[in-house]
Amino acid sequence: MATGESLRRDAVRNRGRILAAARLLFAERGLHVTMDEIAREAGVGVGTVYRRFPNRDALIATLFEERLQEYVANAEEAAAHPDPGEALETLLERTIEMQAVDRGLHELLVGDAEAHERLARTRNDLRPVIEDLLRRAHRSGALRPDVAITDLPVLGLMLREVVDFSHDVAPQLWRRYLAILLDGIRSTGRPLPQPALAQDQLEAAMSCHKPRRP
Amino acid sequence: MATGESLRRDAVRNRGRILAAARLLFAERGLHVTMDEIAREAGVGVGTVYRRFPNRDALIATLFEERLQEYVANAEEAAAHPDPGEALETLLERTIEMQAVDRGLHELLVGDAEAHERLARTRNDLRPVIEDLLRRAHRSGALRPDVAITDLPVLGLMLREVVDFSHDVAPQLWRRYLAILLDGIRSTGRPLPQPALAQDQLEAAMSCHKPRRP
DNA sequence: CAGGAAGCGGAGGGCGGTCATCCACTTTCG
DNA sequence: CGAAAGTGGATGACCGCCCTCCGCTTCCTG
């Protein structure tokens, strides 16, 4: 094991199985799954998991570095659509879809305080793109004027709760409420009664928000 | 202690303190608070709590019987408003407000499988009233035609998630998203993409939905 | 093909957290 | 005043989880 390169063939295979199992379980059930469950799903012993990854967090980190890149790329692509109304729609749709499919990703995005630092970086990449999108949407009238950028994470949160709730019974149900929300943020009823969160309020709320664990 | 009537004066006082403490803590932090925390808040020992209430569940049951009555009465009153649009609005507003103020009540309403039976009764009282309200609202055009009765609990769920999220930072924020949702269910955009849950789907989802515990 | 290094499994130690009990002590009240 | 009721909180029992440890297996190199 000179530079950490030369793993025996079985070790490589097992590492792959562990990652696959973890990916699956985190996606289906959330970040709270135990090391023993991951090991069992992978068809290896816990010891094996711990030889490859010093602890839970290391495993999670390895796994989600890639996932986050993908998430951001996806959002940026959606936001780039020339028509701001549609851009906003697909942005929300894609964003929620990824979180709907991957429970672990969602838990990472809202609420994990440790991961917060790592996320801040990627979030900052994303922000200017979305700010620009919102400006365009406001100008074009595709969005009521009092909707702010900090509303988007909250809308995501609400929809994700629907995903969580109806998961086993009607996994696509969130699209129904996405449609309602979209109509809601396009309509021009009375002005909204409460101000949107300021950026730092949003961050404060996120950093102490705990995900569910069954 | 012949018929359970004659408690010593200090016992009565302590029972009151325990109930008050439990009410407070359940409301602020949810049903997951421990017996020790309740005892400490009440200024008594755990033993005292266990003498009055054989276990956690008994304490919860005692406490929330009254709360549920209140909840149902409140909803019925709101639904009775002659103008269906306003009835719907205040129904949601009051309902969420009660849940926003009392975390334990919310956890009881969505997700507690054991309490489910007890709740079924009260829910059944409520349903015809709300069904009637929806019919009136549909006829009057105050509500898009494809909104169904099972949408209401889901809207409640979404808003409660906002409450949970912004609780410490902007406790009234949920009203902002209530306004968005109300505009969304009044608007007549494209028809909604997914069907509403059927009654039994809703119940299935509720009975396996687990509340958060920090 | 042989021997040593690398890898493996999974029992179990340690930990932290909760419910509920138990009993020596205190308070009430007839 | 004294028996009965009530009290507190240390304690036992339990649980689920993280991670370690070590005797056994598998790989791979010479």
Side-chain angles (χ1 to χ4, degrees):
Chain A
M1 202 213 287
T3 56
E5 292 302 325
S6 57
L7 285 181
R8 249 165 54 174
R9 198 167 307 145
D10 54 345
V12 172
R13 190 199 49 188
N14 279 339
R15 185 172 192 279
R17 286 185 182 171
I18 291 166
L19 282 173
R23 193 148 33 217
L24 178 73
L25 290 182
F26 283 148
E28 273 187 357
R29 317 232 314 264
L31 295 180
H32 66 91
V33 288
T34 68
M35 295 303 255
D36 297 71
E37 285 172 311
I38 293 170
R40 184 147 33 82
E41 175 72 27
V44 305
V46 242
T48 306
V49 178
Y50 279 100
R51 174 148 332 83
R52 291 298 149 241
F53 305 93
N55 56 47
R56 259 184 76 77
D57 289 346
L59 176 56
I60 292 178
T62 308
L63 209 48
F64 280 97
E65 209 68 48
E66 47 181 79
R67 214 87 181 79
L68 272 185
Q69 303 298 337
E70 205 184 324
Y71 179 78
V72 174
N74 205 334
E76 277 177 347
E77 188 196 311
H81 192 290
D83 175 65
E86 250 180 77
L88 198 62
E89 211 167 306
T90 47
L91 173 69
L92 274 170
E93 187 177 340
R94 295 249 203 112
T95 303
I96 304 301
E97 189 158 36
M98 281 194 75
Q99 295 183 47
V101 165
D102 190 337
R103 207 153 172 156
L105 177 63
H106 173 259
E107 290 179 9
L108 211 66
L109 289 174
V110 236
D112 187 359
E114 307 146 41
H116 205 244
E117 208 171 333
R118 204 171 354 131
L119 289 181
R121 196 166 17 95
T122 56
R123 227 187 285 275
N124 282 341
D125 294 350
L126 206 48
R127 205 164 68 215
V129 183
I130 297 187
E131 266 168 356
D132 177 63
L133 167 59
L134 281 201
R135 253 191 304 275
R136 284 189 291 141
H138 280 144
R139 248 199 310 270
S140 80
L143 189 64
R144 64 198 290 170
D146 46 3
V147 168
I149 188 168
T150 55
D151 285 321
L152 298 186
V154 181
L155 299 183
L157 196 72
M158 294 167 78
L159 289 170
R160 169 63 208 206
E161 184 67 7
V162 176
V163 172
D164 226 56
F165 177 70
S166 66
H167 198 242
D168 304 326
V169 145
Q172 299 292 313
L173 188 70
W174 61 273
R175 294 183 191 275
R176 179 176 177 86
Y177 300 96
L178 170 58
I180 291 178
L181 283 175
L182 285 172
D183 282 347
I185 63 177
R186 276 191 288 245
S187 99
T188 42
R190 287 163 292 178
L192 295 171
Q194 287 282 319
L197 288 181
Q199 194 67 38
D200 58 330
Q201 286 179 304
L202 180 68
E203 268 154 32
M206 291 231 259
S207 68
C208 68
H209 186 65
K210 287 270 171 285
R212 191 181 312 286
R213 43 172 174 155
Chain B
M1 203 213 287
T3 55
E5 292 303 325
S6 59
L7 286 180
R8 249 166 53 176
R9 196 168 308 143
D10 55 345
V12 171
R13 190 199 49 190
N14 280 339
R15 186 172 191 278
R17 285 185 181 170
I18 290 166
L19 283 173
R23 196 150 28 219
L24 178 74
L25 290 182
F26 284 147
E28 272 185 358
R29 318 231 315 264
L31 295 180
H32 66 91
V33 289
T34 68
M35 296 302 255
D36 297 71
E37 284 172 311
I38 293 170
R40 184 146 32 82
E41 174 72 28
V44 304
V46 241
T48 306
V49 179
Y50 279 100
R51 181 178 334 286
R52 290 298 149 242
F53 305 93
N55 56 47
R56 261 184 75 76
D57 290 346
L59 176 55
I60 292 177
T62 308
L63 209 47
F64 280 98
E65 208 68 47
E66 47 181 79
R67 216 87 180 77
L68 272 185
Q69 303 297 337
E70 204 184 325
Y71 179 78
V72 173
N74 205 334
E76 276 177 347
E77 188 195 311
H81 192 289
D83 175 65
E86 249 181 78
L88 198 63
E89 211 167 306
T90 46
L91 174 69
L92 274 169
E93 187 176 339
R94 295 251 203 110
T95 304
I96 304 301
E97 190 159 35
M98 280 195 75
Q99 295 183 47
V101 166
D102 190 337
R103 207 152 171 155
L105 177 63
H106 173 258
E107 290 179 9
L108 211 67
L109 289 173
V110 236
D112 186 359
E114 306 146 41
H116 206 243
E117 206 171 334
R118 205 171 354 131
L119 289 181
R121 196 164 18 93
T122 56
R123 226 187 285 277
N124 282 342
D125 293 353
L126 206 48
R127 206 165 65 216
V129 183
I130 297 188
E131 266 167 355
D132 178 62
L133 167 59
L134 281 201
R135 252 191 305 275
R136 285 188 291 139
H138 279 145
R139 247 199 311 270
S140 81
L143 189 65
R144 64 198 291 170
D146 46 2
V147 169
I149 188 168
T150 56
D151 284 320
L152 298 186
V154 181
L155 298 183
L157 196 73
M158 295 166 78
L159 289 170
R160 169 63 209 207
E161 184 67 8
V162 176
V163 172
D164 226 57
F165 177 71
S166 66
H167 197 242
D168 305 325
V169 144
Q172 298 293 312
L173 188 70
W174 62 272
R175 295 181 191 277
R176 180 175 176 87
Y177 299 96
L178 170 59
I180 291 178
L181 283 174
L182 285 172
D183 282 346
I185 62 177
R186 277 192 287 246
S187 100
T188 42
R190 286 165 291 179
L192 295 172
Q194 288 281 320
L197 288 182
Q199 194 66 37
D200 57 330
Q201 288 180 302
L202 180 68
E203 269 154 33
M206 291 230 259
S207 68
C208 68
H209 185 66
K210 287 268 173 282
R212 191 182 312 285
R213 43 172 175 158

